[in-house]
Amino acid sequence: NAGVTQTPKFRILKIGQSMTLQCTQDMNHNYMYWYRQDPGMGLKLIYYSVGAGITDKGEVPNGYNVSRSTTEDFPLRLELAAPSQTSVYFCASSYEPQHFGDGTRLSIL
Amino acid sequence: GQNIDQPTEMTATEGAIVQINCTYQTSGFNGLFWYQQHAGEAPTFLSYNVLDGLEEKGRFSSFLSRSKGYSYLLLKELQMKDSASYLCAVVEGKLSFGAGTTVTVRA
């Protein structure tokens, strides 16, 4: 039982490049979330999903897209990377409590 | 939306007690979580309060007053490994996090 798995763990992108952050969970949880955490700050919700085929915007969705075609997977897409998207990204599943992946450290230069 | 306030930093001595306060404003409260986050790691669950009162779990306790929009996390018998950030998170449909309180434990 791996829990919540995020890949990659680290990535450096150039401005304007695109990439997908992968998140998968093997606990059959309906709820999944994407957060970003800037240095010294709390977690800000980007997008969330309450089940396969259903996604909704969080607090800071601009510049990101998500899809939820299966219960297990919830990828986060950056289409045109910008320096403001340099952050640590956490995926989480479930509700009470949330289970977090180890994070993806993304730098955009 | 929600307004969640926590102190930015706290420092305490090994073996002492520290209380981290969290105040919030929300229109539809469904519970409050406390998470611990060590530097460079993911948050890990500490406690969950949905009813008023104190929940005790070993060295950690969490208190909630819904009428006052207030919670605290109490860390007793502090150990060096308790140096971390502590995040208060409020459930209103989805989960919203405070900015976190960095606790430094000194020998």
PDB file of all heavy atoms in Angstrom, chain B residues 33-69:
ATOM      1  N   PHE B  33      -8.450  20.670  11.628  1.00  0.00           N
ATOM      2  CA  PHE B  33      -7.321  19.747  11.694  1.00  0.00           C
ATOM      3  C   PHE B  33      -6.070  20.495  12.144  1.00  0.00           C
ATOM      4  O   PHE B  33      -5.902  21.685  11.866  1.00  0.00           O
ATOM      5  CB  PHE B  33      -7.017  19.175  10.303  1.00  0.00           C
ATOM      6  CG  PHE B  33      -8.013  18.182   9.803  1.00  0.00           C
ATOM      7  CD1 PHE B  33      -9.113  18.585   9.072  1.00  0.00           C
ATOM      8  CD2 PHE B  33      -7.834  16.831  10.039  1.00  0.00           C
ATOM      9  CE1 PHE B  33     -10.029  17.666   8.581  1.00  0.00           C
ATOM     10  CE2 PHE B  33      -8.743  15.906   9.556  1.00  0.00           C
ATOM     11  CZ  PHE B  33      -9.841  16.316   8.825  1.00  0.00           C
ATOM     12  N   TRP B  34      -5.171  19.751  12.778  1.00  0.00           N
ATOM     13  CA  TRP B  34      -3.802  20.201  13.000  1.00  0.00           C
ATOM     14  C   TRP B  34      -2.877  19.210  12.318  1.00  0.00           C
ATOM     15  O   TRP B  34      -3.023  17.993  12.469  1.00  0.00           O
ATOM     16  CB  TRP B  34      -3.472  20.261  14.489  1.00  0.00           C
ATOM     17  CG  TRP B  34      -4.055  21.442  15.185  1.00  0.00           C
ATOM     18  CD1 TRP B  34      -5.210  21.497  15.904  1.00  0.00           C
ATOM     19  CD2 TRP B  34      -3.491  22.772  15.248  1.00  0.00           C
ATOM     20  NE1 TRP B  34      -5.410  22.760  16.400  1.00  0.00           N
ATOM     21  CE2 TRP B  34      -4.369  23.561  16.021  1.00  0.00           C
ATOM     22  CE3 TRP B  34      -2.333  23.362  14.737  1.00  0.00           C
ATOM     23  CZ2 TRP B  34      -4.134  24.910  16.279  1.00  0.00           C
ATOM     24  CZ3 TRP B  34      -2.098  24.691  14.992  1.00  0.00           C
ATOM     25  CH2 TRP B  34      -2.985  25.461  15.761  1.00  0.00           C
ATOM     26  N   TYR B  35      -1.926  19.782  11.563  1.00  0.00           N
ATOM     27  CA  TYR B  35      -0.919  18.985  10.883  1.00  0.00           C
ATOM     28  C   TYR B  35       0.461  19.453  11.335  1.00  0.00           C
ATOM     29  O   TYR B  35       0.676  20.622  11.639  1.00  0.00           O
ATOM     30  CB  TYR B  35      -0.999  19.163   9.358  1.00  0.00           C
ATOM     31  CG  TYR B  35      -2.118  18.418   8.698  1.00  0.00           C
ATOM     32  CD1 TYR B  35      -3.399  18.942   8.644  1.00  0.00           C
ATOM     33  CD2 TYR B  35      -1.890  17.175   8.108  1.00  0.00           C
ATOM     34  CE1 TYR B  35      -4.423  18.258   8.027  1.00  0.00           C
ATOM     35  CE2 TYR B  35      -2.919  16.480   7.479  1.00  0.00           C
ATOM     36  CZ  TYR B  35      -4.174  17.039   7.449  1.00  0.00           C
ATOM     37  OH  TYR B  35      -5.186  16.348   6.834  1.00  0.00           O
ATOM     38  N   GLN B  36       1.411  18.512  11.328  1.00  0.00           N
ATOM     39  CA  GLN B  36       2.812  18.823  11.585  1.00  0.00           C
ATOM     40  C   GLN B  36       3.573  18.703  10.275  1.00  0.00           C
ATOM     41  O   GLN B  36       3.352  17.772   9.515  1.00  0.00           O
ATOM     42  CB  GLN B  36       3.388  17.833  12.604  1.00  0.00           C
ATOM     43  CG  GLN B  36       4.857  18.079  12.963  1.00  0.00           C
ATOM     44  CD  GLN B  36       5.419  16.924  13.781  1.00  0.00           C
ATOM     45  OE1 GLN B  36       5.436  15.775  13.346  1.00  0.00           O
ATOM     46  NE2 GLN B  36       5.887  17.227  14.995  1.00  0.00           N
ATOM     47  N   GLN B  37       4.472  19.655  10.026  1.00  0.00           N
ATOM     48  CA  GLN B  37       5.259  19.590   8.801  1.00  0.00           C
ATOM     49  C   GLN B  37       6.714  19.903   9.113  1.00  0.00           C
ATOM     50  O   GLN B  37       7.064  21.038   9.447  1.00  0.00           O
ATOM     51  CB  GLN B  37       4.724  20.563   7.748  1.00  0.00           C
ATOM     52  CG  GLN B  37       5.419  20.432   6.405  1.00  0.00           C
ATOM     53  CD  GLN B  37       4.858  21.345   5.337  1.00  0.00           C
ATOM     54  OE1 GLN B  37       4.284  22.386   5.629  1.00  0.00           O
ATOM     55  NE2 GLN B  37       5.000  20.951   4.079  1.00  0.00           N
ATOM     56  N   HIS B  38       7.579  18.885   8.983  1.00  0.00           N
ATOM     57  CA  HIS B  38       9.006  19.112   9.117  1.00  0.00           C
ATOM     58  C   HIS B  38       9.526  19.708   7.825  1.00  0.00           C
ATOM     59  O   HIS B  38       8.976  19.482   6.743  1.00  0.00           O
ATOM     60  CB  HIS B  38       9.724  17.803   9.441  1.00  0.00           C
ATOM     61  CG  HIS B  38       9.559  17.378  10.868  1.00  0.00           C
ATOM     62  ND1 HIS B  38       8.673  16.389  11.253  1.00  0.00           N
ATOM     63  CD2 HIS B  38      10.126  17.821  12.014  1.00  0.00           C
ATOM     64  CE1 HIS B  38       8.723  16.234  12.568  1.00  0.00           C
ATOM     65  NE2 HIS B  38       9.606  17.094  13.055  1.00  0.00           N
ATOM     66  N   ALA B  39      10.597  20.477   7.949  1.00  0.00           N
ATOM     67  CA  ALA B  39      11.161  21.185   6.797  1.00  0.00           C
ATOM     68  C   ALA B  39      11.455  20.213   5.665  1.00  0.00           C
ATOM     69  O   ALA B  39      12.094  19.181   5.860  1.00  0.00           O
ATOM     70  CB  ALA B  39      12.428  21.918   7.206  1.00  0.00           C
ATOM     71  N   GLY B  40      10.973  20.540   4.486  1.00  0.00           N
ATOM     72  CA  GLY B  40      11.240  19.729   3.306  1.00  0.00           C
ATOM     73  C   GLY B  40      10.397  18.477   3.187  1.00  0.00           C
ATOM     74  O   GLY B  40      10.630  17.662   2.288  1.00  0.00           O
ATOM     75  N   GLU B  41       9.427  18.332   4.087  1.00  0.00           N
ATOM     76  CA  GLU B  41       8.589  17.129   4.060  1.00  0.00           C
ATOM     77  C   GLU B  41       7.127  17.495   3.883  1.00  0.00           C
ATOM     78  O   GLU B  41       6.731  18.648   3.957  1.00  0.00           O
ATOM     79  CB  GLU B  41       8.782  16.327   5.350  1.00  0.00           C
ATOM     80  CG  GLU B  41      10.202  15.828   5.543  1.00  0.00           C
ATOM     81  CD  GLU B  41      10.363  15.003   6.806  1.00  0.00           C
ATOM     82  OE1 GLU B  41       9.340  14.696   7.461  1.00  0.00           O
ATOM     83  OE2 GLU B  41      11.498  14.658   7.136  1.00  0.00           O
ATOM     84  N   ALA B  42       6.303  16.466   3.674  1.00  0.00           N
ATOM     85  CA  ALA B  42       4.867  16.662   3.549  1.00  0.00           C
ATOM     86  C   ALA B  42       4.225  16.808   4.929  1.00  0.00           C
ATOM     87  O   ALA B  42       4.762  16.321   5.927  1.00  0.00           O
ATOM     88  CB  ALA B  42       4.243  15.468   2.819  1.00  0.00           C
ATOM     89  N   PRO B  43       3.081  17.464   5.011  1.00  0.00           N
ATOM     90  CA  PRO B  43       2.357  17.537   6.293  1.00  0.00           C
ATOM     91  C   PRO B  43       1.884  16.165   6.735  1.00  0.00           C
ATOM     92  O   PRO B  43       1.539  15.320   5.903  1.00  0.00           O
ATOM     93  CB  PRO B  43       1.155  18.431   5.970  1.00  0.00           C
ATOM     94  CG  PRO B  43       1.510  19.149   4.725  1.00  0.00           C
ATOM     95  CD  PRO B  43       2.411  18.231   3.963  1.00  0.00           C
ATOM     96  N   THR B  44       1.884  15.950   8.047  1.00  0.00           N
ATOM     97  CA  THR B  44       1.342  14.704   8.600  1.00  0.00           C
ATOM     98  C   THR B  44       0.269  15.043   9.625  1.00  0.00           C
ATOM     99  O   THR B  44       0.390  16.022  10.367  1.00  0.00           O
ATOM    100  CB  THR B  44       2.422  13.836   9.254  1.00  0.00           C
ATOM    101  OG1 THR B  44       3.104  14.621  10.247  1.00  0.00           O
ATOM    102  CG2 THR B  44       3.433  13.349   8.237  1.00  0.00           C
ATOM    103  N   PHE B  45      -0.756  14.250   9.679  1.00  0.00           N
ATOM    104  CA  PHE B  45      -1.927  14.485  10.514  1.00  0.00           C
ATOM    105  C   PHE B  45      -1.589  14.367  11.999  1.00  0.00           C
ATOM    106  O   PHE B  45      -0.911  13.433  12.421  1.00  0.00           O
ATOM    107  CB  PHE B  45      -3.004  13.467  10.134  1.00  0.00           C
ATOM    108  CG  PHE B  45      -4.160  13.404  11.091  1.00  0.00           C
ATOM    109  CD1 PHE B  45      -5.108  14.412  11.111  1.00  0.00           C
ATOM    110  CD2 PHE B  45      -4.299  12.322  11.953  1.00  0.00           C
ATOM    111  CE1 PHE B  45      -6.180  14.347  11.983  1.00  0.00           C
ATOM    112  CE2 PHE B  45      -5.372  12.252  12.817  1.00  0.00           C
ATOM    113  CZ  PHE B  45      -6.308  13.264  12.834  1.00  0.00           C
ATOM    114  N   LEU B  46      -2.059  15.327  12.788  1.00  0.00           N
ATOM    115  CA  LEU B  46      -1.902  15.272  14.232  1.00  0.00           C
ATOM    116  C   LEU B  46      -3.242  15.065  14.936  1.00  0.00           C
ATOM    117  O   LEU B  46      -3.370  14.198  15.789  1.00  0.00           O
ATOM    118  CB  LEU B  46      -1.282  16.572  14.763  1.00  0.00           C
ATOM    119  CG  LEU B  46       0.209  16.792  14.539  1.00  0.00           C
ATOM    120  CD1 LEU B  46       0.609  18.144  15.101  1.00  0.00           C
ATOM    121  CD2 LEU B  46       1.022  15.676  15.148  1.00  0.00           C
ATOM    122  N   SER B  47      -4.232  15.914  14.609  1.00  0.00           N
ATOM    123  CA  SER B  47      -5.481  15.837  15.363  1.00  0.00           C
ATOM    124  C   SER B  47      -6.634  16.420  14.550  1.00  0.00           C
ATOM    125  O   SER B  47      -6.418  17.161  13.592  1.00  0.00           O
ATOM    126  CB  SER B  47      -5.372  16.598  16.684  1.00  0.00           C
ATOM    127  OG  SER B  47      -5.274  17.990  16.443  1.00  0.00           O
ATOM    128  N   TYR B  48      -7.830  16.054  14.975  1.00  0.00           N
ATOM    129  CA  TYR B  48      -9.054  16.525  14.329  1.00  0.00           C
ATOM    130  C   TYR B  48     -10.084  16.837  15.398  1.00  0.00           C
ATOM    131  O   TYR B  48     -10.361  15.991  16.255  1.00  0.00           O
ATOM    132  CB  TYR B  48      -9.578  15.456  13.377  1.00  0.00           C
ATOM    133  CG  TYR B  48     -10.910  15.758  12.728  1.00  0.00           C
ATOM    134  CD1 TYR B  48     -11.091  16.910  11.981  1.00  0.00           C
ATOM    135  CD2 TYR B  48     -11.978  14.868  12.835  1.00  0.00           C
ATOM    136  CE1 TYR B  48     -12.307  17.176  11.366  1.00  0.00           C
ATOM    137  CE2 TYR B  48     -13.191  15.132  12.229  1.00  0.00           C
ATOM    138  CZ  TYR B  48     -13.345  16.276  11.487  1.00  0.00           C
ATOM    139  OH  TYR B  48     -14.549  16.538  10.881  1.00  0.00           O
ATOM    140  N   ASN B  49     -10.647  18.040  15.362  1.00  0.00           N
ATOM    141  CA  ASN B  49     -11.704  18.443  16.291  1.00  0.00           C
ATOM    142  C   ASN B  49     -12.928  18.863  15.492  1.00  0.00           C
ATOM    143  O   ASN B  49     -12.812  19.669  14.560  1.00  0.00           O
ATOM    144  CB  ASN B  49     -11.268  19.632  17.154  1.00  0.00           C
ATOM    145  CG  ASN B  49     -10.122  19.297  18.094  1.00  0.00           C
ATOM    146  OD1 ASN B  49      -8.986  19.135  17.654  1.00  0.00           O
ATOM    147  ND2 ASN B  49     -10.426  19.201  19.370  1.00  0.00           N
ATOM    148  N   VAL B  50     -14.073  18.307  15.860  1.00  0.00           N
ATOM    149  CA  VAL B  50     -15.313  18.746  15.225  1.00  0.00           C
ATOM    150  C   VAL B  50     -16.299  19.260  16.285  1.00  0.00           C
ATOM    151  O   VAL B  50     -17.149  20.100  15.984  1.00  0.00           O
ATOM    152  CB  VAL B  50     -15.932  17.627  14.355  1.00  0.00           C
ATOM    153  CG1 VAL B  50     -16.325  16.434  15.208  1.00  0.00           C
ATOM    154  CG2 VAL B  50     -17.094  18.143  13.550  1.00  0.00           C
ATOM    155  N   LEU B  51     -16.154  18.767  17.513  1.00  0.00           N
ATOM    156  CA  LEU B  51     -16.983  19.242  18.621  1.00  0.00           C
ATOM    157  C   LEU B  51     -16.132  20.039  19.603  1.00  0.00           C
ATOM    158  O   LEU B  51     -14.913  19.875  19.658  1.00  0.00           O
ATOM    159  CB  LEU B  51     -17.620  18.050  19.344  1.00  0.00           C
ATOM    160  CG  LEU B  51     -18.533  17.171  18.492  1.00  0.00           C
ATOM    161  CD1 LEU B  51     -19.014  15.975  19.294  1.00  0.00           C
ATOM    162  CD2 LEU B  51     -19.718  17.978  17.969  1.00  0.00           C
ATOM    163  N   ASP B  52     -16.779  20.893  20.372  1.00  0.00           N
ATOM    164  CA  ASP B  52     -16.074  21.687  21.370  1.00  0.00           C
ATOM    165  C   ASP B  52     -15.406  20.790  22.408  1.00  0.00           C
ATOM    166  O   ASP B  52     -15.945  19.749  22.783  1.00  0.00           O
ATOM    167  CB  ASP B  52     -17.052  22.633  22.094  1.00  0.00           C
ATOM    168  CG  ASP B  52     -17.541  23.745  21.194  1.00  0.00           C
ATOM    169  OD1 ASP B  52     -17.015  23.893  20.083  1.00  0.00           O
ATOM    170  OD2 ASP B  52     -18.465  24.472  21.609  1.00  0.00           O
ATOM    171  N   GLY B  53     -14.240  21.227  22.860  1.00  0.00           N
ATOM    172  CA  GLY B  53     -13.583  20.507  23.932  1.00  0.00           C
ATOM    173  C   GLY B  53     -12.162  20.128  23.577  1.00  0.00           C
ATOM    174  O   GLY B  53     -11.606  20.552  22.567  1.00  0.00           O
ATOM    175  N   LEU B  54     -11.603  19.311  24.450  1.00  0.00           N
ATOM    176  CA  LEU B  54     -10.201  18.926  24.360  1.00  0.00           C
ATOM    177  C   LEU B  54     -10.066  17.488  23.879  1.00  0.00           C
ATOM    178  O   LEU B  54     -10.735  16.596  24.377  1.00  0.00           O
ATOM    179  CB  LEU B  54      -9.568  19.073  25.754  1.00  0.00           C
ATOM    180  CG  LEU B  54      -8.057  18.919  25.866  1.00  0.00           C
ATOM    181  CD1 LEU B  54      -7.338  20.063  25.156  1.00  0.00           C
ATOM    182  CD2 LEU B  54      -7.656  18.856  27.332  1.00  0.00           C
ATOM    183  N   GLU B  55      -9.179  17.298  22.896  1.00  0.00           N
ATOM    184  CA  GLU B  55      -8.826  15.957  22.429  1.00  0.00           C
ATOM    185  C   GLU B  55      -7.373  15.729  22.791  1.00  0.00           C
ATOM    186  O   GLU B  55      -6.517  16.506  22.411  1.00  0.00           O
ATOM    187  CB  GLU B  55      -8.995  15.851  20.906  1.00  0.00           C
ATOM    188  CG  GLU B  55     -10.418  16.009  20.408  1.00  0.00           C
ATOM    189  CD  GLU B  55     -11.210  14.731  20.546  1.00  0.00           C
ATOM    190  OE1 GLU B  55     -10.588  13.660  20.712  1.00  0.00           O
ATOM    191  OE2 GLU B  55     -12.457  14.799  20.501  1.00  0.00           O
ATOM    192  N   GLU B  56      -7.108  14.644  23.527  1.00  0.00           N
ATOM    193  CA  GLU B  56      -5.740  14.382  23.951  1.00  0.00           C
ATOM    194  C   GLU B  56      -5.189  13.147  23.270  1.00  0.00           C
ATOM    195  O   GLU B  56      -5.869  12.119  23.154  1.00  0.00           O
ATOM    196  CB  GLU B  56      -5.700  14.191  25.475  1.00  0.00           C
ATOM    197  CG  GLU B  56      -6.087  15.463  26.221  1.00  0.00           C
ATOM    198  CD  GLU B  56      -5.892  15.352  27.717  1.00  0.00           C
ATOM    199  OE1 GLU B  56      -4.756  15.585  28.178  1.00  0.00           O
ATOM    200  OE2 GLU B  56      -6.867  15.046  28.428  1.00  0.00           O
ATOM    201  N   LYS B  57      -3.936  13.287  22.823  1.00  0.00           N
ATOM    202  CA  LYS B  57      -3.287  12.169  22.131  1.00  0.00           C
ATOM    203  C   LYS B  57      -1.832  12.169  22.549  1.00  0.00           C
ATOM    204  O   LYS B  57      -0.987  12.798  21.915  1.00  0.00           O
ATOM    205  CB  LYS B  57      -3.391  12.401  20.614  1.00  0.00           C
ATOM    206  CG  LYS B  57      -3.861  11.246  19.798  1.00  0.00           C
ATOM    207  CD  LYS B  57      -3.751  11.577  18.328  1.00  0.00           C
ATOM    208  CE  LYS B  57      -5.021  11.340  17.604  1.00  0.00           C
ATOM    209  NZ  LYS B  57      -4.888  11.536  16.162  1.00  0.00           N
ATOM    210  N   GLY B  58      -1.525  11.462  23.623  1.00  0.00           N
ATOM    211  CA  GLY B  58      -0.155  11.415  24.089  1.00  0.00           C
ATOM    212  C   GLY B  58       0.322  12.783  24.533  1.00  0.00           C
ATOM    213  O   GLY B  58      -0.321  13.467  25.327  1.00  0.00           O
ATOM    214  N   ARG B  59       1.433  13.241  23.974  1.00  0.00           N
ATOM    215  CA  ARG B  59       1.997  14.542  24.363  1.00  0.00           C
ATOM    216  C   ARG B  59       1.265  15.717  23.715  1.00  0.00           C
ATOM    217  O   ARG B  59       1.481  16.858  24.080  1.00  0.00           O
ATOM    218  CB  ARG B  59       3.479  14.601  23.995  1.00  0.00           C
ATOM    219  CG  ARG B  59       4.368  13.624  24.746  1.00  0.00           C
ATOM    220  CD  ARG B  59       5.845  13.898  24.477  1.00  0.00           C
ATOM    221  NE  ARG B  59       6.186  13.720  23.065  1.00  0.00           N
ATOM    222  CZ  ARG B  59       6.571  14.709  22.258  1.00  0.00           C
ATOM    223  NH1 ARG B  59       6.635  15.961  22.710  1.00  0.00           N
ATOM    224  NH2 ARG B  59       6.898  14.458  20.998  1.00  0.00           N
ATOM    225  N   PHE B  60       0.427  15.412  22.714  1.00  0.00           N
ATOM    226  CA  PHE B  60      -0.262  16.476  21.982  1.00  0.00           C
ATOM    227  C   PHE B  60      -1.736  16.506  22.356  1.00  0.00           C
ATOM    228  O   PHE B  60      -2.378  15.451  22.453  1.00  0.00           O
ATOM    229  CB  PHE B  60      -0.124  16.255  20.476  1.00  0.00           C
ATOM    230  CG  PHE B  60       1.282  16.400  19.948  1.00  0.00           C
ATOM    231  CD1 PHE B  60       2.340  16.706  20.770  1.00  0.00           C
ATOM    232  CD2 PHE B  60       1.528  16.229  18.591  1.00  0.00           C
ATOM    233  CE1 PHE B  60       3.622  16.840  20.277  1.00  0.00           C
ATOM    234  CE2 PHE B  60       2.817  16.361  18.081  1.00  0.00           C
ATOM    235  CZ  PHE B  60       3.871  16.658  18.921  1.00  0.00           C
ATOM    236  N   SER B  61      -2.277  17.722  22.540  1.00  0.00           N
ATOM    237  CA  SER B  61      -3.700  17.907  22.788  1.00  0.00           C
ATOM    238  C   SER B  61      -4.194  19.022  21.890  1.00  0.00           C
ATOM    239  O   SER B  61      -3.445  19.960  21.586  1.00  0.00           O
ATOM    240  CB  SER B  61      -3.955  18.301  24.246  1.00  0.00           C
ATOM    241  OG  SER B  61      -3.435  17.355  25.141  1.00  0.00           O
ATOM    242  N   SER B  62      -5.452  18.940  21.493  1.00  0.00           N
ATOM    243  CA  SER B  62      -6.034  20.014  20.696  1.00  0.00           C
ATOM    244  C   SER B  62      -7.384  20.375  21.272  1.00  0.00           C
ATOM    245  O   SER B  62      -8.158  19.507  21.678  1.00  0.00           O
ATOM    246  CB  SER B  62      -6.159  19.607  19.227  1.00  0.00           C
ATOM    247  OG  SER B  62      -6.927  18.435  19.091  1.00  0.00           O
ATOM    248  N   PHE B  63      -7.644  21.678  21.301  1.00  0.00           N
ATOM    249  CA  PHE B  63      -8.873  22.209  21.880  1.00  0.00           C
ATOM    250  C   PHE B  63      -9.627  22.993  20.829  1.00  0.00           C
ATOM    251  O   PHE B  63      -9.023  23.643  19.969  1.00  0.00           O
ATOM    252  CB  PHE B  63      -8.529  23.123  23.060  1.00  0.00           C
ATOM    253  CG  PHE B  63      -9.706  23.889  23.603  1.00  0.00           C
ATOM    254  CD1 PHE B  63     -10.567  23.298  24.512  1.00  0.00           C
ATOM    255  CD2 PHE B  63      -9.964  25.181  23.183  1.00  0.00           C
ATOM    256  CE1 PHE B  63     -11.659  23.995  25.009  1.00  0.00           C
ATOM    257  CE2 PHE B  63     -11.060  25.892  23.677  1.00  0.00           C
ATOM    258  CZ  PHE B  63     -11.900  25.288  24.588  1.00  0.00           C
ATOM    259  N   LEU B  64     -10.956  22.945  20.902  1.00  0.00           N
ATOM    260  CA  LEU B  64     -11.789  23.698  19.966  1.00  0.00           C
ATOM    261  C   LEU B  64     -12.922  24.397  20.699  1.00  0.00           C
ATOM    262  O   LEU B  64     -13.582  23.780  21.553  1.00  0.00           O
ATOM    263  CB  LEU B  64     -12.375  22.756  18.914  1.00  0.00           C
ATOM    264  CG  LEU B  64     -13.356  23.370  17.928  1.00  0.00           C
ATOM    265  CD1 LEU B  64     -12.672  24.380  17.016  1.00  0.00           C
ATOM    266  CD2 LEU B  64     -14.059  22.294  17.104  1.00  0.00           C
ATOM    267  N   SER B  65     -13.156  25.660  20.335  1.00  0.00           N
ATOM    268  CA  SER B  65     -14.349  26.390  20.737  1.00  0.00           C
ATOM    269  C   SER B  65     -14.984  26.947  19.471  1.00  0.00           C
ATOM    270  O   SER B  65     -14.475  27.902  18.875  1.00  0.00           O
ATOM    271  CB  SER B  65     -14.015  27.535  21.693  1.00  0.00           C
ATOM    272  OG  SER B  65     -15.154  28.371  21.867  1.00  0.00           O
ATOM    273  N   ARG B  66     -16.071  26.342  19.042  1.00  0.00           N
ATOM    274  CA  ARG B  66     -16.715  26.757  17.788  1.00  0.00           C
ATOM    275  C   ARG B  66     -17.335  28.134  17.917  1.00  0.00           C
ATOM    276  O   ARG B  66     -17.299  28.941  16.990  1.00  0.00           O
ATOM    277  CB  ARG B  66     -17.771  25.727  17.373  1.00  0.00           C
ATOM    278  CG  ARG B  66     -17.166  24.423  16.875  1.00  0.00           C
ATOM    279  CD  ARG B  66     -18.238  23.376  16.656  1.00  0.00           C
ATOM    280  NE  ARG B  66     -18.898  23.022  17.912  1.00  0.00           N
ATOM    281  CZ  ARG B  66     -19.990  22.271  17.979  1.00  0.00           C
ATOM    282  NH1 ARG B  66     -20.556  21.794  16.885  1.00  0.00           N
ATOM    283  NH2 ARG B  66     -20.519  21.975  19.149  1.00  0.00           N
ATOM    284  N   SER B  67     -17.908  28.448  19.086  1.00  0.00           N
ATOM    285  CA  SER B  67     -18.550  29.755  19.261  1.00  0.00           C
ATOM    286  C   SER B  67     -17.543  30.892  19.189  1.00  0.00           C
ATOM    287  O   SER B  67     -17.870  32.003  18.758  1.00  0.00           O
ATOM    288  CB  SER B  67     -19.307  29.801  20.585  1.00  0.00           C
ATOM    289  OG  SER B  67     -18.408  29.643  21.669  1.00  0.00           O
ATOM    290  N   LYS B  68     -16.306  30.623  19.579  1.00  0.00           N
ATOM    291  CA  LYS B  68     -15.264  31.660  19.565  1.00  0.00           C
ATOM    292  C   LYS B  68     -14.397  31.595  18.314  1.00  0.00           C
ATOM    293  O   LYS B  68     -13.537  32.452  18.118  1.00  0.00           O
ATOM    294  CB  LYS B  68     -14.372  31.538  20.810  1.00  0.00           C
ATOM    295  CG  LYS B  68     -15.101  31.807  22.112  1.00  0.00           C
ATOM    296  CD  LYS B  68     -14.168  31.709  23.312  1.00  0.00           C
ATOM    297  CE  LYS B  68     -14.930  31.989  24.598  1.00  0.00           C
ATOM    298  NZ  LYS B  68     -14.086  31.840  25.803  1.00  0.00           N
ATOM    299  N   GLY B  69     -14.603  30.598  17.480  1.00  0.00           N
ATOM    300  CA  GLY B  69     -13.756  30.451  16.293  1.00  0.00           C
ATOM    301  C   GLY B  69     -12.296  30.293  16.683  1.00  0.00           C
ATOM    302  O   GLY B  69     -11.412  30.944  16.109  1.00  0.00           O
TER     303      GLY B  69
END
